[in-house]
């Protein structure tokens, strides 16, 4: 199982993740896509990579706005998998022209 990150590691790595912030034992971001199909393309792109990673985001989809929450449920907090998945999500958004 992935080990929990400490506060310093989380803070340092969030500096490379614009648009992401810490929320207790998770990191969160909101993505405003140009339209609903673009929002779903982002979700779909992430879904494929999350499945490959076997690490999955919590997603709230509301029209073109998606809210993302990442935490490692098995570990009870933040691990490097969450940081890696955040980069995957940010990259998928960027491919749709959305800069977090
Ligand atoms: C059995 C399966 O490997 C586990 O439940 C995986 C699936 N995806 C997961 N996703 C996330 N975010 N946290 C987990 O602990 C987790 N565990």
């Amino acid at each position: 199982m992935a080990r929990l990150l400490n506060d310093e590691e989380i803070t340092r790595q969030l500096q490379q993740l614009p648009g992401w912030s810490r929320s207790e034992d998770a990191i969160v971001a909101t993505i405003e896509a140009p339209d609903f199909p673009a929002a779903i393309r982002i979700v779909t792109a992430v879904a494929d990579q999350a499945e490959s990673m076997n690490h999955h985001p919590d997603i709230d989809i509301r029209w073109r706005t998606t809210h993302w929450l990442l935490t490692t449920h098995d570990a009870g907090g933040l691990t490097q998998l969450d940081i890696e998945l955040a980069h995957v999500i940010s990259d998928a958004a960027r491919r749709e022209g959305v800069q977090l």
Side-chain angles (χ1 to χ4, degrees):
M1 179 190 308
R3 72 167 180 82
L4 291 173
L5 298 175
N6 64 44
D7 290 345
E8 185 279 331
E9 291 170 317
I10 297 165
T11 301
R12 176 169 41 81
Q13 296 199 75
L14 281 176
Q15 291 169 354
Q16 310 305 319
L17 283 165
W20 288 89
S21 58
R22 183 163 183 188
S23 177
E24 298 179 344
D25 287 336
I27 54 174
V28 297
T30 297
I31 300 174
E32 297 284 353
D35 54 31
F36 185 65
I40 297 305
R41 284 194 299 271
I42 293 168
V43 169
T44 302
V46 171
D48 291 337
Q49 296 185 75
E51 193 67 10
S52 301
M53 292 172 63
N54 191 33
H55 196 69
H56 305 85
D58 299 345
I59 311 169
D60 178 82
I61 303 171
R62 300 180 183 220
W63 183 26
R64 65 190 189 91
T65 301
T66 52
H67 300 281
W68 304 77
L69 184 145
L70 310 181
T71 190
T72 302
H73 301 291
D74 294 344
L78 283 165
T79 70
Q80 196 60 31
L81 289 167
D82 300 305
I83 300 297
E84 289 170 22
L85 186 54
H87 283 286
V88 166
I89 295 164
S90 293
D91 291 348
R94 198 172 299 116
R95 286 195 299 275
E96 288 294 331
V98 179
Q99 184 68 39
L100 265 67

